[in-house]
Amino acid sequence: MRKCAKCSEKGVIYLPQHRLALCKTHYLEWFENRVEKTVKTFSMFSKKDDILVAVSGGKDSLGVWHALWALGYKVDGLYINLGIGEYSELSEKKAKAFADKIGRKLHVVSLKENIADIPTLKELQDRPACSICGTLKRYYMNLTAKKLGYSVIVTGHNLDDECAVLMGNVLSWNIEYLVRQYPVLEEGNGFVRKVKPLCLVSEKESAMYAFLSGIDFVEDECPYSVGASSINYKLLMSKIEEESPGTKLRFYLEFIRKVRPMLAIKKDLHLRPCQVCGEPTTSDVCSVCRLRMRLENSKAEMRRDF
Ligand code: SF4
Ligand code: ZN
Ligand code: ZN
């Protein structure tokens, strides 16, 4: 390994796309500076905002929480327990231990207590677990942030996540989703502002930051992530990146800078409050309330059969 570009120490990481070798101290500093620059470039939030980080217990979400905390932002955490067996229990434990370590609050929302766990809902619906899970996470993140008075929700999506989504949307030319692919989703219509401060750091860089910061994160992936198409896209992008460092960053940033503005046709979503829970939706009753009704109907049917 080459020497650190900033001091005489031995480098612990080499960043090929930036042609930079750094020691532990300077890598942590580089990463936090990059996060801060991303926050400022996209005007995500300021030191006055009360920020809620959605944490899964993994390296990215605990890493972004740590970086923002180290940079002096007011950041608390939200853990949504999905009820996916041991994976969820261990993730909650690690998220709680991390919150205690940095002395910040961790709010916990249990899907089982609010509606039902993911395995139960997957059985009820003929939909992939990730699609149900995504809907519920978005719903409870927004609801909880509003209830507790947070003005911004942070998620731990990194450059690899964003590139995989971008690639999927490009392959199917999904213009509606492409327009929405931006590191900031503005507040309004009942939604709290949502931002992705890790969108310009790769998965490897994020993992290295979590590791070098001494964060105890969950290494296991969610059991439902196996076979997701995003994993294939990530592998493909990483192969290209290996051959040609900087491709991922270019692919994402050039889309944001050059292509997205050309697609940004204003589309009125006709959002209105859900007639049951009041959260924003495009239909009379939101998808979470419809899911809850379906669950109740199926329970009533089961009672009738016995
Ligand atoms: Fe939810 Fe799918 Fe992610 Fe598991 S892999 S946490 S089910 S979105
Ligand atoms: Zn150094
Ligand atoms: Zn509703």
Side-chain angles (χ1 to χ4, degrees):
M1 179 67 75
R2 309 170 190 203
K3 269 194 173 178
C4 171
K6 302 246 172 110
C7 70
S8 55
E9 292 274 319
K10 202 175 147 212
V12 291
I13 185 169
Y14 178 66
L15 308 169
Q17 76 275 34
H18 306 292
R19 297 199 183 145
L20 200 60
L22 293 168
C23 69
K24 177 179 166 178
T25 310
H26 286 117
Y27 179 67
L28 296 178
E29 187 185 280
W30 175 86
F31 187 93
E32 285 163 12
N33 283 342
R34 191 140 177 92
V35 170
E36 176 131 65
K37 199 172 167 214
T38 310
V39 168
K40 292 201 166 135
T41 303
F42 293 102
S43 308
M44 292 182 168
F45 45 74
S46 75
K47 299 239 158 99
K48 285 188 197 138
D49 282 301
D50 285 309
I51 305 160
L52 189 63
V53 184
V55 291
S56 65
K59 63 183 188 325
D60 300 308
S61 54
L62 292 186
V64 72
W65 193 3
H66 186 280
L68 293 175
W69 166 77
L71 287 163
Y73 289 98
K74 288 193 278 172
V75 269
D76 290 331
L78 167 66
Y79 177 76
I80 300 178
N81 190 315
L82 308 169
I84 307 177
E86 260 183 46
Y87 167 74
S88 292
E89 294 318 306
L90 183 66
S91 308
E92 183 175 334
K93 238 167 101 182
K94 298 226 170 183
K96 272 187 179 152
F98 180 78
D100 288 345
K101 193 175 153 190
I102 63 166
R104 299 296 312 190
K105 260 187 237 155
L106 177 77
H107 305 283
V108 178
V109 169
S110 154
L111 282 194
K112 201 169 176 180
E113 281 166 22
N114 281 278
I115 176 163
D117 55 34
I118 294 293
T120 307
L121 292 167
K122 183 181 161 33
E123 238 174 69
L124 178 79
Q125 290 242 305
D126 193 19
R127 255 168 80 192
C130 294
S131 137
I132 308 168
C133 180
T135 305
L136 289 168
K137 280 195 288 199
R138 280 191 294 275
Y139 180 88
Y140 284 106
M141 261 187 239
N142 196 54
L143 194 69
T144 313
K146 274 198 293 188
K147 261 193 198 163
L148 300 174
Y150 290 94
S151 52
V152 188
I153 298 170
V154 161
T155 58
H157 295 97
N158 60 40
L159 179 63
D160 293 48
D161 297 322
E162 292 306 290
C163 283
V165 174
L166 182 56
M167 190 177 223
N169 287 334
V170 163
L171 289 178
S172 54
W173 289 117
N174 199 330
I175 304 290
E176 233 171 90
Y177 286 162
L178 282 170
V179 172
R180 283 176 58 80
Q181 191 158 6
Y182 195 69
V184 179
L185 286 178
E186 297 288 352
E187 65 275 24
N189 288 321
F191 289 109
V192 173
R193 163 179 286 244
K194 249 166 81 189
V195 299
K196 301 173 184 176
L198 295 192
C199 65
L200 301 185
V201 297
S202 72
E203 194 151 333
K204 261 191 203 160
E205 290 162 358
S206 170
M208 197 63 177
Y209 177 77
F211 174 71
L212 292 176
S213 304
I215 298 172
D216 182 20
F217 56 86
V218 182
E219 289 180 47
D220 289 342
E221 295 287 339
C222 166
Y224 291 113
S225 67
V226 181
S229 52
S230 59
I231 291 186
N232 287 335
Y233 298 150
K234 276 188 186 176
L235 287 174
L236 205 65
M237 287 301 294
S238 295
K239 248 188 145 176
I240 306 173
E241 179 76 21
E242 235 173 73
E243 302 274 323
S244 170
T247 305
K248 279 192 262 192
L249 202 55
R250 209 165 40 246
F251 180 53
Y252 182 65
L253 268 183
E254 297 299 84
F255 165 76
I256 295 289
R257 283 186 191 138
K258 295 181 183 159
V259 185
R260 189 178 167 273
M262 293 195 287
L263 304 174
I265 319 146
K266 275 236 177 302
K267 196 166 186 293
D268 195 356
L269 287 172
H270 298 295
L271 286 164
R272 51 190 184 266
C274 163
Q275 286 177 1
V276 182
C277 71
E279 281 298 281
T281 174
T282 48
S283 42
D284 292 341
V285 176
C286 80
S287 54
V288 174
C289 287
R290 274 184 275 142
L291 195 58
R292 191 176 281 117
M293 285 170 191
R294 214 169 144 188
L295 191 68
E296 273 151 23
N297 286 343
S298 106
K299 279 185 194 159
E301 265 173 38
M302 270 169 70
R303 277 197 296 271
R304 265 203 308 275
D305 290 347
F306 278 105

